[in-house]
């Protein structure tokens, strides 16, 4: 599943479905009715104040009530690799329930761009991670490297620079960063750059070359290849949409 295929969907389920799996994470959020799920031998329900998080590659089956409707988000593993660290079934507080209703309304309107839908999904994931993720704070060395990448992703960077800021070797930083953030520093840097590139392509008048420069790529071909691999479409595709 490519990033260009991520999205939110309103789905209705049949009475019962055979166990299956997919190569992307899936969030199932309640709208109407009850969906009983078996996720990796864990039993639970999506109903009223409860949602399900189905990790990529994990088998799951379901049974639904007659009248049902759910908001389903398909999320590529590369977009949120740490989702598999969250519980399979999570309670939704009033703020999260309100956000689910907002997403539902936006989806029914059908006016948001791919970029907007991408950002709405990222916020949903962030809210879930804040409420149900590990409470362990980042190691100060990982925090230093992450802050360095956040502040300097717009220029050419090497992992050696981030490792030096963290006072770690590149191998140590990779291992520690992956365990605490859920992806390697290189993956995190790429995600930062690609999100900003997508935003600039849709919301600015910069040429593709200027966008590449703005996110740390001196080579237009290297930027275009990375963007296509990340989102499944060439940068020019999103420039055409914006126009």
């Amino acid at each position: 599943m490519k990033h260009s295929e991520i999205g939110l969907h309103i789905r209705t389920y049949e009475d019962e479905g055979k166990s299956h799996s997919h190569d992307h994470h899936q969030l199932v959020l309640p709208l109407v009715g009850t969906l009983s799920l078996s996720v990796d031998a864990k039993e639970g329900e999506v109903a009223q104040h409860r949602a399900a998080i189905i990790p990529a590659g994990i088998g799951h089956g379901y049974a639904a009530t007659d009248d049902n409707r759910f908001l389903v988000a398909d999320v590529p593993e590369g977009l949120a690799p740490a989702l598999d660290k969250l519980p399979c079934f999570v309670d939704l507080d009033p703020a999260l329930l309100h956000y689910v209703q907002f997403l539902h309304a936006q989806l029914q309107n059908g006016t948001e761009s791919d970029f907007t839908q991408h950002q709405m999904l990222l916020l949903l994931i962030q809210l879930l991670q804040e409420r149900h993720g590990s409470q362990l704070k980042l190691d100060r060395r990982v925090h230093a490297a992450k802050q360095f990448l956040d502040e300097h992703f717009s220029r050419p960077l090497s992992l050696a620079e981030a490792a030096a800021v963290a006072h770690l070797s590149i191998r140590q930083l990779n291992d520690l960063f992956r365990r605490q953030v859920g992806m390697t520093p290189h993956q995190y840097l790429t995600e930062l750059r690609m999100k900003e590139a997508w935003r600039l392509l849709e919301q600015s008048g910069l040429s593709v070359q200027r966008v590449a420069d703005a996110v740390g790529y001196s080579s237009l071909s290297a930027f275009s290849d990375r963007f296509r691999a990340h989102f499944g479409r060439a940068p020019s595709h999103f420039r055409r949409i914006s126009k």
Side-chain angles (χ1 to χ4, degrees), residues 7-13 26-35 37 45-54 68-75 88 90-92 96-97 99-101 103-104 107 120-121 124-125 128 132:
L8 294 162
H9 316 276
I10 299 173
R11 291 183 183 168
T12 298
Y13 290 86
Q26 194 169 74
L27 309 179
V28 186
L29 305 154
L31 294 174
V32 176
T34 299
L35 182 68
L37 282 167
E45 290 186 342
V46 179
Q48 296 180 334
H49 304 285
R50 198 161 176 79
I53 300 172
I54 305 171
N68 70 82
R69 191 164 68 254
F70 301 89
L71 188 63
V72 177
D74 295 327
V75 185
C88 292
V90 296
D91 293 325
L92 303 177
L96 270 174
L97 285 171
Y99 189 63
V100 169
Q101 292 303 319
L103 293 176
H104 183 211
L107 193 59
M120 290 193 301
L121 270 178
L124 173 62
I125 292 165
L128 288 169
H132 302 288

Side-chain angles (χ1 to χ4, degrees), residues 188-207:
Y188 182 75
L189 177 61
T190 299
E191 183 65 29
L192 285 175
R193 287 172 165 171
M194 294 300 102
K195 286 191 295 185
E196 177 64 5
W198 190 346
R199 185 188 72 80
L200 290 173
L201 287 167
E202 283 205 332
Q203 300 181 12
S204 79
L206 295 177
S207 66

